[in-house]
Amino acid sequence: MKALAANFVPAADEVWRLQHGKDAECKLFQGFMEKGHYGGRVQPTDTRQGTYCCTPSGQFLASCNTNDPKQMAGMLRTALSKWKEMTQAVRLSSEVEKPSEIQRPETKYPKDGLVLQVIVRDLPREDGKCPDDWRKDAWNQDYAWFTRREAAQLLPATLEVGAKGTTPAALISRLARAHLIDTVRGQSSAYQNGAIESAWLETRIDKIAGDRVSLTLFGASQSNEKGSWSVNGFADMNDPSANTRGIDCKLLGSATYDRSKGKFVQFELVAAGQRHGATQYNGRADDPGPAPIGFVFRIAPDLPQNHVAPTNFWVYNWQ
């Protein structure tokens, strides 16, 4: 696999946007997606997710949707064979539409703000219901963004030892809706605004050394959403039922704000509590809880691989 992969330039993206977007890079994907493994499929869903090999000009080479290394290696060999048969002119056609304006949330990356990596996983449980397979060690990640102005609102109004501050309701509610979600085993949508029963986050200044302000963060969040939806993948997708889901957790953390840089240079927030319920693709149909869950929010290094937009970026309502 490593030898084969060395012949390709890997890239990863979110398939829904590629399937439905109108800008040039979406049109490039749409130009070859129907030639792949899911071409023409509408049931059980019309997704075109998978691994595709194509030329820079958008010529389709091969594709598959598998985690089997043998199948993947076979697909790469097929793609490489077709590549070698093509002329340079076909591989690098200049007729491809050039992106005039990239229309993707990554362009909103708050370089001068606060970018947090979010890790979520199950916590140890005593009921013995966790299967002895990959699910016992499952975890997932996301990113939480704050603009420079929003990050500053996490500080108390007065920067002196002992001062306390309350995070604006809009920011902690966004954190609860978009990030305190059970995605340990799969994907799940953001909570509707009315599902957040309570959410608060306070800060306290413990120490000031030069330009560095050290804070303690503490708070809590409780969400509870009721409605009708599927909980078992494709099995019940046409037969939704009455369900509830939610997270009830406490928050505790520490952070350091550098006044000379106007930004946080250290930030770690832990949320731990109970989750309940299931959604269509989060793998909880047979394990709705209540059961313990944990989240960690920490500064993500400013590297290209950490510029991925929050999964539920639409909740941010950033213009």
Side-chain angles (χ1 to χ4, degrees), residues 118-137:
V118 187
I119 303 294
V120 55
R121 63 166 298 159
D122 288 339
L123 296 180
R125 51 198 289 181
E126 300 177 356
D127 60 14
K129 292 183 179 180
C130 188
D132 189 20
D133 54 25
W134 67 271
R135 288 171 288 185
K136 70 178 182 180
D137 297 316

Side-chain angles (χ1 to χ4, degrees), residues 199-221:
W200 60 276
L201 180 65
E202 295 186 356
T203 55
R204 182 187 67 236
I205 296 178
D206 297 325
K207 178 181 178 182
I208 297 179
D211 288 320
R212 299 212 162 188
V213 180
S214 300
L215 308 101
T216 292
L217 302 90
F218 49 96
S221 177

Side-chain angles (χ1 to χ4, degrees), residues 30-71:
Q30 292 161 14
F32 63 75
M33 70 179 188
E34 294 302 323
K35 299 175 182 178
H37 50 283
Y38 284 156
R41 192 182 89 159
V42 294
Q43 294 293 335
T45 72
D46 66 349
T47 183
R48 296 296 181 263
Q49 67 182 9
T51 302
Y52 292 80
C53 293
C54 67
T55 69
S57 61
Q59 294 292 317
F60 176 76
L61 297 173
S63 72
C64 65
N65 188 15
T66 182
N67 57 10
D68 184 331
K70 291 184 178 179
Q71 291 185 36

Side-chain angles (χ1 to χ4, degrees), residues 9 14 31-32 45 55-57 66 101 123 143 222 237 251 266 273 287 289 298 314 316:
V9 177
E14 201 285 309
F32 63 75
T45 72
T55 69
S57 61
T66 182
E101 182 180 355
L123 296 180
Y143 292 92
Q222 185 172 4
M237 65 181 298
L251 295 91
Q266 179 268 327
D287 185 21
R298 59 191 180 192
W314 63 271
Y316 283 56

Side-chain angles (χ1 to χ4, degrees), residues 222-234:
Q222 185 172 4
S223 57
N224 188 42
E225 188 166 69
K226 299 178 180 179
S228 180
W229 59 79
S230 304
V231 297
N232 195 19
F234 298 149

